[in-house]
Amino acid sequence: YNTLISDHNEKLASYNDKIKNNRQKLSDLVVGKIQDKVYERVEVAETLLNLAKSTATRVFRNLVKAIEKEANSHYQSMMQRNKSARGIIKFEEHQGKISPALINSDGKLLSQVHTGNMLLIKLSTIMAIISARKVTKGTQLYTLIADAPMSSFGQQYTMGFCKVISNVYRQSIIMSKDFYQNDD
């Protein structure tokens, strides 16, 4: 590590020399002294650039939170009649990519999630992207077309899924071999 530090210090010194040489070349282009107002404008422009970057990051995080909230609303609605461990959907960021995970009330990852739960999490996330934008006109144009999404569901998941999709999509096409319903 000492060798790496030494190498990086040499590179840093080299870069600082390049910066110094470039500043000297740039100062040779100007006749006379550069006004302080120019430096102030550069500072203001850099501040505005940093502000724009941080605003974009904050707006993106707020959108992710809104979609996470909608996904949980859909997930809880679909799980309502089921007695298994429910958990909540939490969007986690890994290397700039965001993916949903199911966590318990203590914030710990639920590792024993079966195929039906995983499918509900994915469908909840897809529905959340659409329903989080319900104020825009275009969201009414989305249609859900799914081939046997209920094959991994039990009866309660199936009923919850069908009720939720009817609230999110104006139109949906669900292909299924069997539809189990055991009403008393």
Side-chain angles (χ1 to χ4, degrees), residues 24-54:
Q24 182 61 41
K25 287 178 185 176
L26 291 174
S27 67
D28 291 344
L29 295 174
V30 177
V31 177
K33 185 182 177 219
I34 297 175
Q35 296 178 358
D36 290 336
K37 289 181 182 180
V38 173
Y39 289 114
E40 288 174 13
R41 288 179 185 155
V42 168
E43 274 185 51
V44 169
E46 287 174 348
T47 302
L48 289 174
L49 176 64
N50 291 334
L51 183 62
K53 286 179 183 177
S54 68

Side-chain angles (χ1 to χ4, degrees), residues 112-122 149 151-153 157:
Q112 299 298 323
V113 179
H114 57 75
T115 307
N117 278 66
M118 290 171 43
L119 191 54
L120 282 181
I121 292 167
K122 291 175 184 179
S151 60
S152 300
F153 295 167
Y157 280 1

Side-chain angles (χ1 to χ4, degrees), residues 11-77:
K11 286 180 182 178
L12 185 61
S14 171
Y15 290 137
N16 284 331
D17 286 342
K18 286 180 182 179
I19 290 171
K20 185 177 175 184
N21 289 338
N22 286 337
R23 283 191 177 153
Q24 182 61 41
K25 287 178 185 176
L26 291 174
S27 67
D28 291 344
L29 295 174
V30 177
V31 177
K33 185 182 177 219
I34 297 175
Q35 296 178 358
D36 290 336
K37 289 181 182 180
V38 173
Y39 289 114
E40 288 174 13
R41 288 179 185 155
V42 168
E43 274 185 51
V44 169
E46 287 174 348
T47 302
L48 289 174
L49 176 64
N50 291 334
L51 183 62
K53 286 179 183 177
S54 68
T55 300
T57 301
R58 189 178 69 250
V59 167
F60 178 75
R61 286 190 178 134
N62 287 341
L63 288 172
V64 169
K65 285 179 187 176
I67 292 172
E68 182 179 271
K69 182 179 175 185
E70 284 288 317
N72 274 301
S73 172
H74 297 313
Y75 184 72
Q76 297 305 322
S77 295

Side-chain angles (χ1 to χ4, degrees), residues 111-184:
S111 58
Q112 299 298 323
V113 179
H114 57 75
T115 307
N117 278 66
M118 290 171 43
L119 191 54
L120 282 181
I121 292 167
K122 291 175 184 179
L123 289 166
S124 296
T125 303
I126 292 166
M127 287 188 248
I129 292 168
I130 293 167
S131 64
R133 298 188 58 207
K134 56 186 150 213
V135 294
T136 59
K137 286 182 178 180
T139 56
Q140 295 180 1
L141 302 175
Y142 290 103
T143 301
L144 175 68
I145 301 174
D147 183 15
M150 299 174 290
S151 60
S152 300
F153 295 167
Q155 177 185 342
Q156 302 304 332
Y157 280 1
T158 300
M159 296 307 295
F161 170 70
C162 290
K163 285 182 181 179
V164 172
I165 61 167
S166 66
N167 294 331
V168 176
Y169 298 97
R170 284 183 63 199
Q171 187 178 68
S172 54
I173 300 168
I174 308 294
M175 289 165 266
S176 181
K177 180 179 177 188
D178 297 309
F179 187 83
Y180 297 106
Q181 184 175 1
N182 187 13
D183 286 340
D184 293 337

Side-chain angles (χ1 to χ4, degrees), residues 87-88 90 92 101-110:
I88 57 172
K90 179 75 177 157
E92 297 177 338
L102 195 63
I103 61 170
N104 65 14
S105 57
D106 297 331
K108 294 183 180 171
L109 184 66
L110 293 175

